[in-house]
Amino acid sequence: MGVYVVTGSASGMGASVAARLTDDGHEVIGVDLADAAVIADLSTVEGRRGAVDALTERIDGPLHGAVFAAGIGPRRGRERMLAEVNCLGVVELATALRPRLAAARNAKVVVFGSNSSTATPLVPRAAIRRLLDGDAEAAARILRRRPGALSGPAAYAASKIAVARWARRQAVTEAWAGAGIRMNVISPGPVMTPLLQGQLANPRSPVRSFPVPIRESGRPDQLAEWVMTMLSPAADFMVGSVVTVDGGTEALLRPNDWPSRLPGRLLPRMAWTMWRAPSRGQVADYS
């Protein structure tokens, strides 16, 4: 049996994942604002540092996996909080826990993204860049310039784009894949959690008109099943992938955007990577 960290473990999808892991006999260290082994507010620098300190104190051996499910939904006026929780709450905790994950030699990490990252228009690129630089306040300033009700959805999408890009960039590096850590992203659509219920209670919420071809919301237990697969040996050959589970929304809005061809401008980078990879042990020898 293994040791797993689950953020957002007190409700919604995080709670379903934590319950599944516990039922399977694993030790789960939950992180949440309340009703968790580690009580922490991931919207502040101090809260994230406190979470890291508490987790490193509790984990005295290898960490076999981590699921970063903590998140808050879009609302105008909390652009910085969205950036802090949804992006930095993953990046800073995952980075701090990486040595413990590496010690397990075959750890799995699941980062919760969102299909909003590919289904939300008018998300400012500059805000995403600032988030990837770790500057939540600069990102929030840019996002507050979005007109009217657009700032909330744009901030939410920016936080999820940034965290997915961070995960994909890091997942393939020597520090992560080279250490045997398999990190991937799951991108749900509307899942009937307390967060979504609160959004649906607002008659002006854009979520109410979000197109879902299957005409039903997802359930936390369904997403937990996907996460369990991504934590299992079935994911041993899965690194840096984004799995979209959204009832068809992304395919409806972007049917021709995937697969897309590799841009020609990337060929020099690809050639350089392939040339230097064998000497670093990054490419298997199939001879």
Side-chain angles (χ1 to χ4, degrees):
M1 296 297 100
V3 179
Y4 291 82
V5 167
V6 179
T7 69
S9 61
S11 66
M13 292 176 281
S16 291
V17 171
R20 280 297 313 274
L21 286 167
T22 300
D23 288 346
D24 286 353
H26 300 292
E27 178 185 351
V28 176
I29 306 173
V31 181
D32 216 312
L33 286 168
D35 301 321
V38 174
I39 307 300
D41 181 357
L42 300 182
S43 70
T44 68
V45 174
E46 295 77 14
R48 295 191 294 274
R49 288 175 180 167
V52 168
D53 291 343
L55 288 169
T56 53
E57 183 177 340
R58 293 180 67 102
I59 304 167
D60 58 4
L63 179 62
H64 299 89
V67 179
F68 296 100
I72 59 174
R75 183 185 301 172
R76 182 172 176 80
R78 60 180 185 185
E79 292 83 5
R80 176 162 182 167
M81 185 180 292
L82 281 159
E84 299 261 13
V85 176
N86 295 356
C87 185
L88 301 186
V90 175
V91 172
E92 293 178 14
L93 266 65
T95 301
L97 293 173
R98 192 202 63 80
R100 302 296 176 93
L101 291 161
R105 299 185 181 275
N106 186 15
K108 307 293 196 313
V109 175
V110 179
V111 172
F112 267 74
S114 169
N115 74 336
S116 68
S117 61
T118 53
T120 302
L122 305 176
V123 181
R125 294 180 181 178
I128 298 168
R129 289 195 296 269
R130 298 298 182 274
L131 275 175
L132 287 168
D133 290 339
D135 193 340
E137 178 52 37
R141 284 198 300 268
I142 295 167
L143 290 160
R144 292 184 193 115
R145 299 172 193 158
R146 298 287 95 179
L150 291 179
S151 66
Y156 182 77
S159 70
K160 293 299 187 177
I161 293 170
V163 79
R165 288 186 181 174
W166 175 85
R168 280 173 58 80
R169 291 178 183 181
Q170 296 300 316
V172 297
T173 63
E174 281 292 298
W176 290 83
I181 306 168
R182 279 75 168 172
M183 179 159 60
N184 296 285
V185 179
I186 187 163
S187 291
V191 177
M192 195 54 69
T193 63
L195 174 62
L196 179 62
Q197 290 169 349
Q199 292 173 327
L200 293 175
N202 180 0
R204 297 183 179 179
S205 172
V207 176
R208 296 176 67 91
S209 58
F210 213 60
V212 183
I214 202 67
R215 298 182 181 178
E216 61 184 52
S217 298
R219 302 191 313 271
D221 62 291
Q222 291 173 326
L223 272 295
E225 289 291 336
W226 279 99
V227 172
M228 294 302 291
T229 298
M230 296 167 74
L231 295 175
S232 76
D236 281 354
F237 198 52
M238 185 179 183
V239 175
S241 296
V242 178
V243 178
T244 302
V245 186
D246 72 346
T249 299
E250 213 264 353
L252 175 68
L253 297 178
R254 306 182 61 174
N256 299 317
D257 289 329
W258 177 263
S260 59
R261 66 183 181 85
L262 184 71
R265 61 183 173 79
L266 294 182
L267 290 178
R269 184 193 305 174
M270 184 176 178
W272 167 251
T273 302
M274 293 178 69
W275 175 78
R276 71 187 182 119
S279 64
R280 299 179 63 188
Q282 293 176 335
V283 175
D285 181 0
Y286 296 108
S287 59

